[in-house]
Amino acid sequence: IIVNTAIDQNPKEDEIATFISITDRLTPLHLKLLKILSNPQKAVDGNPAAKSRFESISMGGVSTLFQMLLSEYPEDLVGVVFHDLYILGLQNTERGGVTMTKHGIVSKRTTDFGDRYLSYISFP
């Protein structure tokens, strides 16, 4: 955040302050999940075990994605973190258990605000 603030030609002070506040609140799991939600297909493709499991399903929910990619975390914890990201306006899906098509499972879920946040906390 500090590096990106320094190189930003048009710093948005309120947004930067909000990013700092959000960063103080989030855990590494929040950030992992937000990164996955920004490009779920890339996350699946980058994980051979998840990719293999994903190829065999036809429908499921976003929670199916979490079970494949974040199996080391308790499902209820991932659900709380997912909801936190929704409340903060970083992602746009309130519930992860809604059944959808395979294509829907790997659809991008981050909001524009969430994308700007990810960009701001990433190395330039």
Side-chain angles (χ1 to χ4, degrees):
I1 289 174
I2 293 169
V3 171
N4 286 328
T5 300
I7 63 173
D8 193 345
Q9 300 299 318
N10 298 307
K12 299 144 212 82
E13 292 178 22
D14 288 337
E15 187 167 77
I16 291 167
T18 302
F19 289 162
I20 291 168
S21 174
I22 288 171
T23 301
D24 189 47
R25 179 176 175 200
L26 300 184
T27 66
L29 179 56
H30 283 89
L31 299 176
K32 282 181 187 179
L33 187 54
L34 188 60
K35 183 74 173 165
I36 289 169
L37 295 171
S38 72
N39 192 338
Q41 185 65 60
K42 182 178 178 182
V44 169
D45 290 344
N47 182 318
K51 187 173 183 176
S52 176
R53 281 186 63 197
F54 187 72
E55 289 172 355
S56 68
I57 65 168
S58 60
M59 297 186 81
V62 179
S63 58
T64 306
L65 182 69
F66 304 153
Q67 291 165 1
M68 289 186 281
L69 296 171
L70 300 169
S71 60
E72 68 273 22
Y73 295 97
E75 191 173 332
D76 57 349
L77 174 62
V78 175
V80 168
V81 168
F82 180 72
H83 190 68
D84 282 350
L85 296 173
Y86 175 77
I87 295 297
L88 289 167
L90 298 170
Q91 64 95 0
N92 61 19
T93 305
E94 185 173 6
R95 295 179 298 146
V98 176
T99 301
M100 59 192 75
T101 65
K102 187 175 184 172
H103 177 73
I105 295 170
V106 291
S107 294
K108 177 183 179 302
R109 296 208 164 0
T110 50
T111 61
D112 290 340
F113 179 69
D115 291 337
R116 288 194 310 277
Y117 176 73
L118 278 172
S119 177
Y120 233 82
I121 64 168
S122 302
F123 286 108

